[in-house]
């Protein structure tokens, strides 16, 4: 988003002119990247590939702009198993988390790897980071839990805010549980 680019510019500028001269920031859509073919050494996708409406297309675009030997490093949440393999209550919890995070449908690890292979990307490494994110999810659960536990607080906190804010709060309350049950996973995937 423009706000993300502006924040990144501020952070890079704070590092000094040498850093600013080595970095180019471009806002784009990973379904239609503005970079030329074979022009990027390394690409990072942090908590955003889950928002791809066309996962094969997004990965094919990244593969197109990577130089031979280049890498794509993804940090994102995903389903270890297909949604259909979950119990109804488990699937509902996962769907509520996905909606709260504005994710249309959570992708499975298998679907991600299949789309990557189809795009010509090879798996170089994958690490589950569930234990590492649990302290942050516990803090998020405490913060958002206040809104759920005290309706009067919820009304004040959510007044004049988009409805998505309430869904986001519900997701915050459910994330630690869904990760703890193994329904969702947070991974680093290097392609």
């Amino acid at each position: 988003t423009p706000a993300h680019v502006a924040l990144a510019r501020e952070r890079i500028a704070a590092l000094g002119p040498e850093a600013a001269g080595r970095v180019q920031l471009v806002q784009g859509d990973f379904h239609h990247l503005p970079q030329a073919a074979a022009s990027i050494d390394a690409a990072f996708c942090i908590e955003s590939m889950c928002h791809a409406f066309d996962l094969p297309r997004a990965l094919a675009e990244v593969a197109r702009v990577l130089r031979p030997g280049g890498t794509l490093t993804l940090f994102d949440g995903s389903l270890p198993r297909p949604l259909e393999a979950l119990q109804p209550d488990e699937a509902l919890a996962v769907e509520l988390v996905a909606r709260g995070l504005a994710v249309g449908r959570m992708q499975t690890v298998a679907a991600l790897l299949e789309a990557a292979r189809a795009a010509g990307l090879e798996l170089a490494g994958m690490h589950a980071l569930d234990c590492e994110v649990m302290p942050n999810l516990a803090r998020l659960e405490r913060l958002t839990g206040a809104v759920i536990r005290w309706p009067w607080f919820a009304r004040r906190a959510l007044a004049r805010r988009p409805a998505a804010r309430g869904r986001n709060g519900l997701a915050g309350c459910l994330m630690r549980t869904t990760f703890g049950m193994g329904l969702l996973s947070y991974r680093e995937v290097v392609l």
Side-chain angles (χ1 to χ4, degrees), residues 101 135-145 168-169 171-173 175:
L101 299 175
N136 288 335
L137 295 179
R139 278 192 295 278
L140 180 62
E141 183 180 58
R142 280 191 304 276
L143 289 170
T144 57
N168 193 258
C173 286
M175 286 178 72

Side-chain angles (χ1 to χ4, degrees), residues 80-100:
R81 298 173 289 159
L83 199 59
E84 298 77 24
L86 303 179
Q87 295 297 318
D89 288 344
E90 295 171 336
L92 176 60
V94 168
E95 288 179 22
L96 290 171
V97 169
R99 282 189 206 149

Side-chain angles (χ1 to χ4, degrees), residues 6 22 33 56 60 90 96 116 121 126 135 144 161 179 182 185:
R22 294 184 313 193
L33 294 171
E90 295 171 336
L96 290 171
L121 298 168
M126 180 166 49
T144 57
R161 290 201 168 66
F179 276 78
S185 182

Side-chain angles (χ1 to χ4, degrees), residues 59-101:
L59 289 169
E61 269 296 279
V62 175
R64 179 187 67 78
V65 302
L66 283 176
R67 289 187 175 120
T71 60
L72 166 61
T73 303
L74 299 167
F75 290 91
D76 220 333
S78 59
L79 288 165
R81 298 173 289 159
L83 199 59
E84 298 77 24
L86 303 179
Q87 295 297 318
D89 288 344
E90 295 171 336
L92 176 60
V94 168
E95 288 179 22
L96 290 171
V97 169
R99 282 189 206 149
L101 299 175

Side-chain angles (χ1 to χ4, degrees), residues 112-134:
L112 172 69
L113 296 177
E114 181 182 322
R117 274 191 296 277
L121 298 168
E122 295 178 21
L123 179 64
M126 180 166 49
H127 302 81
L129 301 172
D130 298 343
C131 291
E132 287 83 349
V133 301
M134 279 305 220

